[in-house]
Amino acid sequence: TWSRKFNRINPDDVTVQMVDEFVNASNLKLSSRSLYLCVIRGCFRFFKDAGLCQRNPAALASVRMHTMTHNQKETRRFDPYTEDEVEDLLVKLGSRISEETDLNRSERLKFWDRSIRIAWITGLRFCDVVCLEWASVDGPEFVVHTTKTGARVVPASLQEIMAITDQIKRDGPHLFPRQRNIFLDQKNRP
């Protein structure tokens, strides 16, 4: 690790090449390389701001994608819930919706049902689901620009998503305007 390799070196003596070689070690996956570089850059920003070094050698280092194998670039798919667990959750949620007499509570439960289904189908984070725009759904394909990374995501199943969004009343440019406003209002978020 970095601390074992560089613990006795003055931060000003660390070179771009040293950081580059450490980050691009041949056995590391892309996600590890990117994380290491991010942490090292942050440390050197702190060192520089604290007056412990004059420059940030990590600022010029980069992950060398062209030297990586396909397997090193691929991320491991992680499903926090099985399909059966999600379906069980949605069935229970559906029964609660049908039993509910309070209109506001019923609408909240419907939001959770629809947002969970969209997140499950697309793999989007909750923050991206609540910020979805109708323009993302109305075209020939479902396109989202994610909040965290700004990545352009095109999930495969537009028909499944349209089956869900057809149940949502249009009220402005966003699918879930009320929940989006709550999400974006950092101070008053529950």
Side-chain angles (χ1 to χ4, degrees):
T1 64
W2 178 265
S3 61
R4 277 186 259 152
K5 187 167 183 155
F6 298 103
N7 70 346
R8 302 221 186 276
I9 297 177
N10 182 322
D12 276 325
D13 294 335
V14 175
T15 65
V16 174
Q17 182 179 357
M18 292 165 83
V19 174
D20 198 64
E21 286 174 3
F22 176 79
V23 167
N24 291 296
S26 62
N27 61 337
L28 295 175
K29 288 185 125 337
L30 174 60
S31 57
S32 297
R33 292 178 190 210
S34 298
L35 180 63
Y36 284 179
L37 184 56
C38 181
V39 170
I40 294 167
R41 281 180 177 158
C43 288
F44 273 98
R45 262 194 310 272
F46 171 77
F47 293 159
K48 190 175 174 188
D49 290 347
L52 300 173
C53 68
Q54 301 299 311
R55 58 187 175 67
N56 183 348
L60 299 175
S62 63
V63 173
R64 286 183 258 136
M65 295 276 294
H66 66 279
T67 64
M68 297 172 64
T69 66
H70 175 76
N71 287 339
Q72 287 176 310
K73 294 175 189 173
E74 283 294 307
T75 57
R76 181 177 58 95
R77 178 154 167 81
F78 174 73
D79 292 325
Y81 300 102
T82 66
E83 194 169 339
D84 291 339
E85 290 170 328
V86 171
E87 197 53 46
D88 185 46
L89 171 70
L90 292 171
V91 165
K92 289 177 182 174
L93 194 55
S95 68
R96 296 281 303 274
I97 291 170
S98 63
E99 295 169 2
E100 191 55 56
T101 57
D102 178 357
L103 187 60
N104 287 332
R105 184 163 167 73
S106 176
E107 288 303 312
R108 284 196 308 270
L109 291 171
K110 287 178 185 174
F111 158 72
W112 283 108
D113 177 76
R114 293 165 184 160
S115 62
I116 290 168
R117 287 181 191 278
I118 291 171
W120 177 254
I121 292 166
T122 62
L124 291 171
R125 294 177 181 90
F126 181 73
C127 61
D128 294 321
V129 172
V130 297
C131 291
L132 278 174
E133 297 178 35
W134 283 108
S136 297
V137 181
D138 289 339
E141 61 183 3
F142 179 77
V143 178
V144 178
H145 295 274
T146 62
T147 307
K148 185 173 179 182
T149 63
R152 183 178 190 268
V153 178
V154 184
S157 183
L158 179 61
Q159 288 179 333
E160 283 183 85
I161 292 165
M162 288 180 74
I164 298 165
T165 59
D166 286 346
Q167 303 168 24
I168 301 171
K169 180 182 154 207
R170 289 185 183 243
D171 185 22
H174 296 91
L175 274 72
F176 306 110
R178 185 174 163 273
Q179 291 80 5
R180 177 183 178 271
N181 291 339
I182 292 168
F183 174 76
L184 294 176
D185 186 3
Q186 299 286 332
K187 288 185 276 183
N188 295 322
R189 197 184 317 173

